[in-house]
Amino acid sequence: MPGCISEQVKPSGRRGISWYKVEKAISGDTIAVKGIGKVKYIGVAAPRGSISGKGGERFWKKSLQKNRELVEGKWVRFDLDLRRQDKLGRYLAYVFVQNEYNLMEELFINGEMLRLGLARLEESTVNTKYIKRLEALENRARGQGLGIWSGR
């Protein structure tokens, strides 16, 4: 996100990495980040809700709630790929949140949403850095019948 100004912190032992504060989870695959704007998780297509808050795809509320739990108000870092923005002007990124108990560990949020069955894999022919990992996580959730794969 060149040229963007945001609050940053340098966690101990992790030189050269910029961390950004998540203001809000907008959906199960998009967040609002202080000083940057909207960031969409690469490779993740979460169920969509409706503007009125009623209806929408199955599991959209659970997907949004889990995303809130994972990242809202927390510090994240981004790993970028070839395509940096989508047609809606959102930044595209692989998002990692720092473990609050062990600063040397991170949770891969894109993968976590797929692992829990709260999103589907959104394949790209351009952004493929973590595609094998994301495919494996979706296949595992599908095989276990989790979330959107539960048939309920």
Side-chain angles (χ1 to χ4, degrees):
M1 320 287 161
C4 292
I5 299 171
S6 181
E7 292 182 46
Q8 298 178 6
V9 65
K10 292 181 183 174
S12 59
R14 304 296 303 263
R15 293 184 145 188
I17 295 176
S18 295
W19 294 86
Y20 302 91
K21 185 83 172 226
V22 175
E23 294 178 315
K24 174 181 175 176
I26 297 170
S27 70
D29 60 24
T30 305
I31 55 178
V33 178
K34 187 170 180 131
I36 291 177
K38 293 180 182 177
V39 177
K40 163 91 169 59
Y41 301 152
I42 295 172
V44 177
R48 296 281 165 227
S50 67
I51 295 171
S52 69
K54 298 177 183 175
E57 293 180 67
R58 285 181 338 110
F59 288 95
W60 77 267
K61 286 182 183 179
K62 285 186 181 184
S63 180
L64 171 59
Q65 183 57 38
K66 179 48 83 173
N67 198 22
R68 284 180 175 152
E69 290 171 19
L70 292 172
V71 299
E72 224 169 66
K74 296 182 182 177
W75 293 94
V76 297
R77 75 170 179 87
F78 304 118
D79 191 356
L80 306 176
D81 213 328
L82 296 174
R83 183 168 290 139
R84 304 288 173 100
Q85 283 187 293
D86 67 8
K87 61 185 175 193
L88 300 175
R90 300 175 295 187
Y91 288 100
L92 299 172
Y94 302 103
V95 178
F96 298 83
V97 68
Q98 190 173 47
N99 181 329
E100 57 193 282
Y101 303 107
N102 181 347
L103 300 181
M104 298 306 291
E105 290 181 4
E106 301 173 331
L107 180 62
F108 180 35
I109 301 302
N110 308 50
E112 187 68 1
M113 295 304 288
L114 294 171
R115 185 187 74 79
L116 296 170
L118 296 175
R120 289 178 297 283
L121 181 65
E122 181 177 68
E123 293 194 41
S124 168
T125 56
V126 179
N127 290 339
T128 60
K129 189 183 288 188
Y130 293 100
I131 191 66
K132 295 289 183 203
R133 188 172 172 185
L134 294 173
E135 284 174 344
L137 290 165
E138 181 190 63
N139 287 337
R140 184 169 145 195
R142 185 181 292 204
Q144 293 175 346
L146 300 177
I148 61 175
W149 310 113
S150 68
R152 287 188 260 139

